Amino acid sequence: MNEIRDLPKVLPSSQDHFLDGPKLAPGITRFWLIRHALVEENARMCMYGAMDVPLCPDSLIAQRPMYRALAERLPKPAHWLVSPLSRTQRTAQAVQEAGYGPAKLTVEPDLIEQNLGSWQGLPYEELPQYLNLAPHPFWAVGATECPPEGESMIDVCARVGRLLDRLADKYAHQDIIAVTHGGVVRAALAHALRIHAETALHFSVQNLALTILERLEVGWRVVTVNELPGV
């Protein structure tokens, strides 16, 4: 018997969604998640979390090629979302000014970074004395550690997961550009991959890096993670 000849002639429907070509197909519910640009030097010395801290002015100038590359990479048309914090809004404006063109920025409260509660503003070297659990090797606190008056990464993952599902329904078959925070991008990956928050914190998410997620009928797909523009 010729086993190859006897194979089914129609591929399973799930294979219709294989991503084999160099271009992303239109009409897909697609999230373009961008971590904000580098914050100013003094803020980087402390646990700033959901604090509103400014961007580094020198980096805004030095990284202009990255803003231009992002402007060329991002889709048109698209819905632009930002967190309530100025660093995401200023980053979005810089990308638009670098060649994307003007687009309305909609503030989405649930795109905000992890709230570190009473630990926000603490210098990093002072944090260990307040921890109840060992810190994560790639995050200031473990995923299950909940700062006083704040939220754990478990909480962030739940918040972001609900947000992604809601936005995917609201903007079905459209592109969503969300300028947000490193913790939120990791939480989005946890939701898409159905992995624990502690595992998701192992992802590297650099400033200005792009992560692309798609919500298809058969489930979530991760297209790219931590893609650095122009690199």
Coordinates of all heavy atoms in Angstrom, one line a residue, residues 71-113:
A71 N 7.8 52.7 13.6 CA 6.8 53.4 12.7 C 6.6 52.7 11.4 O 5.5 52.6 10.9 CB 7.2 54.9 12.5
E72 N 7.6 52.1 10.8 CA 7.5 51.4 9.6 C 7.0 50.0 9.8 O 6.3 49.5 8.9 CB 8.9 51.3 8.9 CG 9.5 52.7 8.5 CD 10.9 52.5 7.9 OE1 11.4 51.4 7.9 OE2 11.5 53.6 7.5
R73 N 7.2 49.4 10.9 CA 6.8 48.0 11.2 C 5.3 47.9 11.6 O 4.7 46.9 11.3 CB 7.7 47.5 12.4 CG 7.3 46.1 12.8 CD 8.0 45.1 11.9 NE 8.0 43.7 12.5 CZ 7.1 42.8 12.3 NH1 6.1 43.0 11.4 NH2 7.2 41.6 12.8
L74 N 4.8 48.9 12.2 CA 3.4 48.8 12.8 C 2.4 49.0 11.7 O 2.6 49.7 10.7 CB 3.2 49.9 13.8 CG 4.1 49.7 15.1 CD1 3.9 50.9 16.0 CD2 3.8 48.4 15.8
P75 N 1.2 48.3 11.9 CA 0.2 48.3 10.8 C -0.7 49.6 10.8 O -0.8 50.3 11.8 CB -0.7 47.1 11.3 CG -0.6 47.1 12.8 CD 0.8 47.5 13.1
K76 N -1.2 49.8 9.6 CA -2.2 50.9 9.4 C -3.4 50.3 8.7 O -3.2 49.6 7.7 CB -1.6 52.0 8.6 CG -0.5 52.8 9.3 CD -0.1 53.9 8.4 CE 1.0 54.8 9.1 NZ 1.5 55.8 8.2
P77 N -4.6 50.6 9.1 CA -5.0 51.3 10.3 C -4.9 50.4 11.5 O -4.7 49.2 11.4 CB -6.5 51.7 10.0 CG -7.0 50.5 9.2 CD -5.8 50.2 8.3
A78 N -4.9 51.0 12.7 CA -4.8 50.2 13.9 C -5.4 51.1 15.1 O -5.5 52.3 15.0 CB -3.4 49.8 14.3
H79 N -5.9 50.4 16.1 CA -6.3 51.1 17.3 C -5.1 51.2 18.3 O -4.5 50.2 18.6 CB -7.4 50.3 18.0 CG -8.6 50.0 17.1 ND1 -9.6 51.0 16.9 CD2 -9.0 49.0 16.3 CE1 -10.5 50.5 16.1 NE2 -10.2 49.3 15.7
W80 N -4.8 52.5 18.7 CA -3.7 52.7 19.6 C -4.2 52.8 21.0 O -5.1 53.7 21.3 CB -3.0 54.0 19.2 CG -2.1 53.9 18.0 CD1 -2.4 53.8 16.7 CD2 -0.7 53.9 18.0 NE1 -1.3 53.7 15.9 CE2 -0.2 53.8 16.7 CE3 0.3 54.1 19.1 CZ2 1.1 53.8 16.4 CZ3 1.6 54.1 18.7 CH2 2.0 53.9 17.4
L81 N -3.6 52.0 21.9 CA -4.0 52.0 23.3 C -2.7 52.3 24.1 O -1.6 51.9 23.8 CB -4.6 50.7 23.8 CG -5.8 50.1 23.0 CD1 -6.2 48.8 23.5 CD2 -6.9 51.1 23.0
V82 N -2.9 53.0 25.2 CA -1.7 53.3 26.1 C -2.2 53.2 27.5 O -3.4 53.1 27.8 CB -1.2 54.8 25.9 CG1 -0.5 54.9 24.6 CG2 -2.4 55.8 26.1
S83 N -1.3 53.0 28.4 CA -1.6 52.9 29.9 C -1.9 54.4 30.4 O -1.6 55.4 29.7 CB -0.5 52.2 30.6 OG 0.5 53.2 31.1
P84 N -2.3 54.5 31.6 CA -2.5 55.8 32.2 C -1.2 56.6 32.5 O -1.3 57.8 32.8 CB -3.3 55.6 33.5 CG -3.9 54.2 33.3 CD -2.9 53.5 32.5
L85 N -0.1 55.9 32.4 CA 1.2 56.5 32.8 C 1.8 57.3 31.6 O 1.8 56.8 30.4 CB 2.1 55.5 33.3 CG 1.6 54.7 34.5 CD1 2.6 53.7 35.1 CD2 1.2 55.7 35.7
S86 N 2.4 58.4 31.9 CA 2.9 59.3 30.8 C 4.0 58.6 30.0 O 4.2 59.0 28.8 CB 3.4 60.6 31.4 OG 4.5 60.4 32.3
R87 N 4.8 57.7 30.5 CA 5.9 57.1 29.8 C 5.4 56.3 28.6 O 6.1 56.2 27.6 CB 6.8 56.3 30.7 CG 6.2 55.1 31.4 CD 7.2 54.5 32.4 NE 6.7 53.4 33.2 CZ 6.2 53.5 34.4 NH1 6.1 54.7 34.9 NH2 5.9 52.4 35.1
T88 N 4.2 55.7 28.7 CA 3.7 55.0 27.5 C 3.1 55.9 26.5 O 3.2 55.7 25.3 CB 2.6 54.0 27.9 OG1 1.4 54.7 28.5 CG2 3.1 53.0 29.0
Q89 N 2.5 57.0 27.0 CA 1.9 58.0 26.1 C 3.0 58.7 25.3 O 2.8 59.0 24.1 CB 1.0 58.9 26.9 CG -0.2 58.2 27.6 CD -0.9 59.0 28.6 OE1 -0.9 60.2 28.5 NE2 -1.4 58.4 29.6
R90 N 4.0 59.1 26.0 CA 5.1 59.8 25.3 C 5.8 58.9 24.3 O 6.3 59.3 23.2 CB 6.2 60.3 26.4 CG 7.3 61.1 25.7 CD 6.8 62.4 25.1 NE 7.8 63.1 24.3 CZ 7.9 63.0 23.0 NH1 7.0 62.2 22.3 NH2 8.8 63.6 22.3
T91 N 6.0 57.6 24.6 CA 6.6 56.6 23.7 C 5.7 56.5 22.5 O 6.2 56.5 21.3 CB 6.7 55.3 24.4 OG1 7.6 55.4 25.5 CG2 7.3 54.2 23.4
A92 N 4.4 56.4 22.6 CA 3.5 56.3 21.5 C 3.6 57.6 20.6 O 3.6 57.5 19.4 CB 2.0 56.1 22.0
Q93 N 3.6 58.7 21.2 CA 3.7 60.0 20.5 C 5.0 60.0 19.7 O 5.1 60.4 18.5 CB 3.7 61.1 21.4 CG 2.3 61.3 22.1 CD 2.3 62.3 23.2 OE1 3.4 62.8 23.7 NE2 1.1 62.6 23.8
A94 N 6.1 59.5 20.3 CA 7.4 59.5 19.6 C 7.4 58.6 18.4 O 8.0 58.9 17.4 CB 8.5 59.1 20.6
V95 N 6.7 57.5 18.5 CA 6.7 56.6 17.3 C 5.8 57.2 16.2 O 6.2 57.2 15.0 CB 6.0 55.2 17.7 CG1 5.8 54.4 16.5 CG2 6.9 54.5 18.7
Q96 N 4.7 57.9 16.6 CA 3.9 58.5 15.6 C 4.7 59.7 14.9 O 4.6 59.9 13.7 CB 2.6 59.0 16.2 CG 1.7 57.9 16.7 CD 0.4 58.3 17.3 OE1 0.1 59.5 17.3 NE2 -0.4 57.4 17.8
E97 N 5.4 60.4 15.7 CA 6.2 61.5 15.2 C 7.3 61.1 14.3 O 7.8 61.8 13.5 CB 6.7 62.4 16.3 CG 5.6 63.1 17.1 CD 6.1 63.7 18.5 OE1 7.3 63.4 18.8 OE2 5.3 64.3 19.2
A98 N 7.8 59.8 14.5 CA 8.9 59.3 13.8 C 8.5 58.8 12.4 O 9.4 58.3 11.6 CB 9.6 58.2 14.5
G99 N 7.2 58.9 12.0 CA 6.9 58.6 10.7 C 5.5 57.8 10.6 O 5.0 57.7 9.4
Y100 N 5.0 57.3 11.7 CA 3.7 56.6 11.6 C 2.6 57.5 11.2 O 1.7 57.2 10.5 CB 3.4 55.9 12.9 CG 2.2 55.0 12.8 CD1 2.3 53.7 12.5 CD2 0.9 55.5 13.1 CE1 1.2 52.9 12.4 CE2 -0.2 54.7 13.0 CZ -0.1 53.4 12.7 OH -1.2 52.6 12.6
G101 N 2.7 58.8 11.8 CA 1.6 59.7 11.6 C 0.7 59.8 12.8 O 0.7 58.9 13.6
P102 N -0.1 60.8 12.9 CA -1.0 61.0 14.0 C -2.1 59.9 14.1 O -2.7 59.5 13.1 CB -1.6 62.4 13.9 CG -1.5 62.6 12.4 CD -0.3 61.9 11.9
A103 N -2.4 59.4 15.3 CA -3.5 58.5 15.5 C -4.0 58.7 17.0 O -3.2 59.1 17.9 CB -3.0 57.1 15.3
K104 N -5.2 58.5 17.2 CA -5.8 58.8 18.5 C -5.3 57.8 19.5 O -5.2 56.6 19.2 CB -7.3 58.6 18.4 CG -8.0 58.8 19.8 CD -9.5 58.5 19.6 CE -10.2 58.6 21.0 NZ -11.7 58.3 20.9
L105 N -4.9 58.2 20.7 CA -4.4 57.4 21.8 C -5.5 57.2 22.8 O -6.0 58.2 23.3 CB -3.2 58.0 22.4 CG -2.0 58.3 21.6 CD1 -0.8 58.9 22.4 CD2 -1.5 57.0 20.9
T106 N -5.9 56.0 23.0 CA -7.0 55.7 24.0 C -6.3 55.1 25.2 O -5.6 54.1 25.2 CB -8.0 54.7 23.4 OG1 -8.6 55.2 22.3 CG2 -9.1 54.3 24.5
V107 N -6.6 55.8 26.4 CA -6.1 55.3 27.6 C -6.8 54.1 28.1 O -8.1 54.2 28.3 CB -6.1 56.4 28.7 CG1 -5.6 55.9 30.0 CG2 -5.2 57.6 28.2
E108 N -6.1 53.0 28.4 CA -6.7 51.8 28.9 C -6.2 51.5 30.3 O -5.0 51.1 30.4 CB -6.5 50.6 28.0 CG -6.9 49.3 28.5 CD -8.4 49.3 28.9 OE1 -9.3 49.5 28.1 OE2 -8.6 49.1 30.1
P109 N -6.9 51.7 31.4 CA -6.4 51.6 32.7 C -5.8 50.3 33.0 O -4.8 50.2 33.8 CB -7.7 51.8 33.6 CG -8.6 52.7 32.8 CD -8.3 52.2 31.3
D110 N -6.3 49.2 32.5 CA -5.7 47.8 32.8 C -4.4 47.5 32.1 O -3.9 46.4 32.3 CB -6.8 46.8 32.5 CG -7.9 46.7 33.5 OD1 -7.7 47.2 34.6 OD2 -9.0 46.3 33.2
L111 N -3.9 48.5 31.3 CA -2.6 48.3 30.7 C -1.5 48.8 31.6 O -0.3 48.7 31.3 CB -2.5 49.0 29.4 CG -3.1 48.4 28.2 CD1 -3.1 49.3 26.9 CD2 -2.5 47.0 27.8
I112 N -1.8 49.2 32.8 CA -0.8 49.8 33.7 C 0.1 48.7 34.3 O -0.3 47.5 34.4 CB -1.5 50.6 34.9 CG1 -0.6 51.6 35.5 CG2 -2.2 49.6 35.9 CD1 -1.3 52.6 36.4
E113 N 1.3 49.1 34.7 CA 2.3 48.2 35.3 C 1.8 47.7 36.6 O 0.9 48.2 37.3 CB 3.6 48.9 35.4 CG 4.8 48.1 35.9 CD 5.1 46.9 35.1 OE1 4.3 45.9 35.2 OE2 6.1 46.8 34.3

